[in-house]
């Protein structure tokens, strides 16, 4: 039986290599056929999160709206945004586990709602997200 090697979170950060804006062929997520949808990348999500100032938080829907505007699209894909946000968060957690200071990693807790479903999926759990927000005196 062949051994299956899983990519690390950091390896997943590299794919897809570039964001893409495509036209919807059929209605999706409340948008009509013909709407322009951004498919971001983990790097785009990471850059957005790193732009959130200390002590502030944004929601994933806010991020999707902001990114759609930035890339001249009508919407940002909700599915890939969720997947890539998790990749960014887990890669940051790997950095923390490897000894990097919390100030030097992507502050994913500024975008992940500690009460939301994504926080429950993260290897750190929602408690870590809530603790980081408290430590930064984050306001929503």
């Amino acid at each position: 039986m062949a051994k299956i090697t899983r990519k690390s979170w950091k390896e997943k950060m590299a794919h897809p290599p570039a964001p893409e804006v495509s036209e919807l062929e059929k209605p999706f997520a409340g948008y009509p056929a013909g709407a322009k949808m951004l498919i971001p990348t983990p790097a785009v999500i990471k850059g957005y999160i790193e732009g959130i100032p200390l002590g502030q938080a944004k929601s994933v829907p806010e991020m999707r709206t902001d990114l759609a505007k930035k890339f001249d699209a009508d919407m940002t894909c909700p599915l890939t945004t969720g997947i890539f946000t998790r990749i960014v968060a887990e890669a940051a957690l790997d950095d923390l586990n490897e000894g990097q200071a919390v100030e030097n990693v992507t502050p994913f807790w500024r975008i992940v709602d500690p009460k939301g479903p994504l926080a429950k999926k993260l290897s750190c759990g929602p408690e870590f997200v809530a603790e980081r927000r408290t430590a930064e005196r984050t306001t929503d």
Side-chain angles (χ1 to χ4, degrees):
M1 185 176 222
K3 182 179 177 182
I4 298 174
T5 310
R6 293 184 185 252
K7 288 183 180 179
S8 71
W9 294 110
K10 289 180 186 179
E11 289 172 322
K12 291 179 182 184
M13 285 291 300
H15 298 284
E20 179 182 321
V21 175
S22 60
E23 193 171 297
L24 294 176
E25 293 180 17
K26 58 184 179 181
F28 177 70
Y31 285 85
K36 294 190 297 182
M37 180 173 72
L38 169 67
I39 307 295
T41 66
V44 167
I45 302 292
K46 179 180 182 216
Y48 182 89
I49 294 169
E50 289 176 345
I52 301 171
L54 177 73
Q56 293 183 22
K58 295 251 185 172
S59 68
V60 172
E62 284 177 291
M63 175 174 64
R64 288 180 34 226
T65 298
D66 292 346
L67 290 175
K69 287 177 187 172
K70 179 179 179 181
F71 286 89
D72 195 30
D74 300 310
M75 66 177 293
T76 301
C77 177
L79 181 63
T80 57
T81 299
I83 293 167
F84 296 157
T85 301
R86 180 171 184 197
I87 289 171
V88 170
E90 295 289 1
L93 287 165
D94 284 351
D95 289 340
L96 285 172
N97 290 331
E98 292 169 4
Q100 286 197 37
V102 72
E103 308 79 45
N104 297 330
V105 301
T106 303
F108 65 88
W109 48 88
R110 296 179 190 164
I111 199 79
V112 175
D113 180 351
K115 295 177 182 148
L118 177 56
K120 294 174 187 156
K121 292 179 185 178
L122 296 176
S123 61
C124 64
E127 298 81 16
F128 178 84
V129 175
E131 288 168 9
R132 288 304 318 145
R133 284 187 171 208
T134 299
E136 289 188 357
R137 297 189 170 127
T138 301
T139 58
D140 294 328

